Amino acid sequence: RRGPRRRRTTPARSASPIRRPGRRPCHRYSPRGLPPRAPRPPPPIEGANLEQSALDFTGIDPYDIEREAVPEREALSEILSAVRKAVKAHGCKRAILVGHNATFDHSFLFAAAERADIKRNPFHPFSTFDTATLAGLAYGHTVLAQACKLAGIPFSNKEAHSAAYDAEKTADLFCGIVNRWKQLGGYPPPEPADPDSAA
């Protein structure tokens, strides 16, 4: 005959977690003992094709919650509203996009406006000022960094490829080329001679 069963007893759990040397106290929501991380936000654009190699090159993390990203339509509406006001203030009919390899920026902007269902796009549907082409004519270089150096514009390779920095340097380069052309007498063009006065 078997004797009475012995019950296994376990020590009572402490109200506070036991700390082992070199380890953090256990957290009830995390298996690794760390506070739970905030969920990653969704991609900036639903169904967007985000090339990992491009993200690695630029250092951009589209899922970073510290980007303080806003919905695409909201961002575009704010930008295009300011452009429309400038167009009206200067008596123009359309805005011309200035960009380095401007075809890419132009197509990206118009695709975003169409995706956000924005009807009043102030930019010209196909005309642009491409600083890559203009820099090739003015300085013999199409690369933004090299063209800026030849134009006497400070350029940092560490800060390059961020949207704000590249846009600022592109604007500086464009203004430098236009100002140089004006100094050479190319702009504004001379008024055409009156044929009646010549006779």
Side-chain angles (χ1 to χ4, degrees):
R1 302 178 71 180
R2 294 180 181 178
R5 276 180 149 185
R6 292 184 180 181
R7 293 184 179 180
R8 294 182 179 180
T9 59
T10 56
R13 292 184 179 180
S14 173
S16 60
I18 300 174
R19 298 191 64 175
R20 297 182 182 179
R23 294 191 178 184
R24 298 185 181 184
C26 181
H27 196 283
R28 59 180 297 190
Y29 298 110
S30 173
R32 292 184 297 175
L34 301 175
R37 296 182 62 182
R40 300 185 84 184
I45 302 171
E46 190 66 28
N49 180 22
L50 303 177
E51 292 288 343
Q52 188 59 47
S53 58
L55 297 177
D56 294 340
F57 180 76
T58 59
I60 296 174
D61 181 6
Y63 302 98
D64 187 0
I65 58 176
E66 295 184 0
R67 291 176 63 240
E68 299 181 356
V70 298
E72 186 177 50
R73 180 178 175 82
E74 180 182 336
L76 283 171
S77 297
E78 183 178 348
I79 294 170
L80 297 182
S81 176
V83 174
R84 279 193 293 267
K85 290 179 181 179
V87 168
K88 184 177 180 180
H90 290 83
C92 300
K93 294 182 179 180
R94 289 282 188 174
I96 304 297
L97 185 144
V98 177
H100 204 74
N101 298 314
T103 304
F104 171 81
D105 298 311
H106 187 270
S107 60
F108 186 93
L109 176 63
F110 271 73
E114 182 179 356
R115 189 166 51 241
D117 196 27
I118 294 177
K119 305 299 184 184
R120 297 175 58 212
N121 190 336
F123 285 96
H124 196 280
F126 52 83
S127 294
T128 61
F129 284 121
D130 181 18
T131 51
T133 302
L134 294 174
L137 173 65
Y139 302 109
H141 272 277
T142 58
V143 178
L144 181 60
Q146 294 297 327
C148 284
K149 291 177 181 177
L150 291 170
I153 300 171
F155 192 93
S156 171
N157 289 322
K158 292 182 179 180
E159 297 185 55
H161 303 297
S162 70
Y165 188 82
D166 284 4
E168 181 181 350
K169 295 304 175 182
T170 299
D172 290 343
L173 181 62
F174 176 73
C175 292
I177 293 172
V178 172
N179 292 336
R180 186 180 181 191
W181 181 245
K182 290 177 69 175
Q183 291 172 1
L184 295 174
Y187 180 82
E191 295 183 2
D194 189 356
D196 296 335
S197 62

